[in-house]
Amino acid sequence: MHRLVRASVPLLLRAAERCAAEPGDPAARRLAAYCLRHAEEERDHDAWLLDDLAAAGSGPAAVPHPIVVELAGAQYYRIEHEHPVALLGYIAVLEGNAPGPRLADHLAGVTGLPGGAFRTLREHAELDGGHLDDLYRVFDALAPSPARQTAVAVSALHTANLLTRLFLSLAEDNGGHP
């Protein structure tokens, strides 16, 4: 997950840049503001995961999992070639599935890994609760056209599909990848 989280801030910043290039789009300024604010909220979360990995006696894979590349890459494509609002579908899936407050302790218990290996899960269980509500408020305020609503929905469905494939692949490979 480190590589996926590492892509979050650059994706948000790129979406904000693309919004700035759309001065005739009345929703672009509001979307850019959301992206910049959310980028600040997500900043350094990839470093948290590095700390978690170190606490578990590991580190990030030398090469990112191909599905992680596809997840982030699809969003860059959507930002560049559809509209930056499509990124909201991706964010909705990731933020809408925040870990439960007891998940970190449960995982530490069943894996035998130290509690410090689950800091990121603990932090996100606390922090992510209001993120989805904020995203919905922004989305509603943007009043996207039907075509842009479809772009957000397709992005969300594509993200959910890829995350499912990623987790199934990790379960099958015991953490490895092809």
Side-chain angles (χ1 to χ4, degrees):
M1 294 310 293
H2 171 259
R3 303 279 184 158
L4 191 59
V5 171
R6 185 177 180 201
S8 297
V9 171
L11 280 167
L12 287 159
L13 295 177
R14 184 62 190 140
E17 288 172 3
R18 290 287 294 135
C19 286
E22 304 271 346
D25 183 346
R29 179 178 290 174
R30 186 179 303 245
L31 180 58
Y34 167 80
C35 288
L36 292 172
R37 184 176 70 250
H38 198 63
E40 281 308 309
E41 292 169 356
E42 297 297 325
R43 192 168 305 284
D44 297 326
H45 291 198
D46 59 324
W48 296 357
L49 278 167
L50 289 177
D51 292 344
D52 290 356
L53 287 167
S58 187
V63 176
H65 194 290
I67 298 174
V68 169
V69 173
E70 189 175 350
L71 273 159
Q75 295 312 306
Y76 279 110
Y77 180 90
R78 292 178 193 291
I79 290 166
E80 295 297 326
H81 302 290
E82 291 179 8
H83 189 276
V85 75
L87 184 62
L88 296 181
Y90 174 82
I91 295 169
V93 172
L94 297 178
E95 299 286 355
N97 293 288
R102 294 185 301 259
L103 180 61
D105 292 335
H106 174 74
L107 290 175
V110 299
T111 64
L113 291 170
F118 300 97
R119 172 190 174 197
T120 304
L121 279 176
R122 281 190 183 85
E123 295 284 341
H124 281 96
E126 285 184 34
L127 296 173
D128 285 355
H131 283 181
L132 195 57
D133 290 336
D134 186 35
L135 184 142
Y136 288 152
R137 279 190 296 276
V138 168
F139 184 77
D140 289 344
L142 294 175
S145 68
R148 290 191 180 159
Q149 290 177 32
T150 299
V152 172
V154 169
S155 176
L157 292 169
H158 189 210
T159 300
N161 177 37
L162 289 172
L163 281 174
T164 301
R165 287 181 36 215
L166 175 63
F167 289 129
L168 289 173
S169 173
L170 293 175
E172 290 170 5
D173 297 345
N174 194 26
H177 60 78

